[in-house]
């Protein structure tokens, strides 16, 4: 399933994922946001200023990492970022 991720300001990325994950994407969006804003669990996607974490700075790569390694960590990778989707997106998620 193709998911269109709209970050605003004309910044759009696409994620390919299993149908199981795609169907739940809007339901689990809040869980992703809790993870990305948690300074202790997530350190890679934070902007630092004078060595201090200021705010999360993320894109679809962060969502894919969370889907594959946190939310749906069992089994094979379920999601990946794609640049030129061959199929029309089935869902749109806004961040």
């Amino acid at each position: 399933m193709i998911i269109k991720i709209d970050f605003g300001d004309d910044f759009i990325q696409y994620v390919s994922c299993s149908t199981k994950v795609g169907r739940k994407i809007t339901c689990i969006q809040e869980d992703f946001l809790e993870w990305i804003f948690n300074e202790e669990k997530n350190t890679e996607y934070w902007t630092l200023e004078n060595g201090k974490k200021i705010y999360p700075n993320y894109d679809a790569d962060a969502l894919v990492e969370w889907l594959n390694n946190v939310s749906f960590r069992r089994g094979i990778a379920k999601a990946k970022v794609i640049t030129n989707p061959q199929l029309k997106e089935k869902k749109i998620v806004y961040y």
Side-chain angles (χ1 to χ4, degrees):
M1 177 181 283
I2 307 296
I3 308 293
K4 179 179 177 180
I5 312 294
D6 188 337
F7 292 98
D9 295 329
D10 295 324
F11 181 47
I12 294 171
Q13 290 183 295
Y14 295 90
V15 171
S16 173
C17 61
S18 69
T19 303
K20 176 183 174 182
V21 173
R23 286 184 183 148
K24 294 181 177 184
I25 198 73
T26 53
C27 297
I28 60 176
Q29 186 174 11
E30 187 173 320
D31 294 338
F32 168 72
L33 290 173
E34 285 179 22
W35 176 79
I36 200 75
F37 279 89
N38 186 327
E39 293 179 51
E40 295 171 7
K41 290 183 181 178
N42 165 33
T43 58
E44 182 178 345
Y45 298 103
W46 278 78
T47 297
L48 300 175
E49 189 173 290
N50 297 324
K52 230 179 153 176
K53 296 176 186 171
I54 305 299
Y55 55 85
N57 184 12
Y58 61 95
D59 59 8
D61 290 317
L63 177 62
V64 165
E65 179 184 334
W66 179 78
L67 286 171
N68 291 338
N69 300 317
V70 178
S71 185
F72 295 93
R73 67 179 162 259
R74 292 187 180 164
I76 60 172
K78 287 117 189 127
K80 64 181 177 180
V81 176
I82 54 174
T83 54
N84 296 315
Q86 301 299 312
L87 302 171
K88 181 159 175 49
E89 71 273 357
K90 295 281 185 178
K91 290 197 174 193
I92 301 174
V93 180
Y94 298 92
Y95 286 98

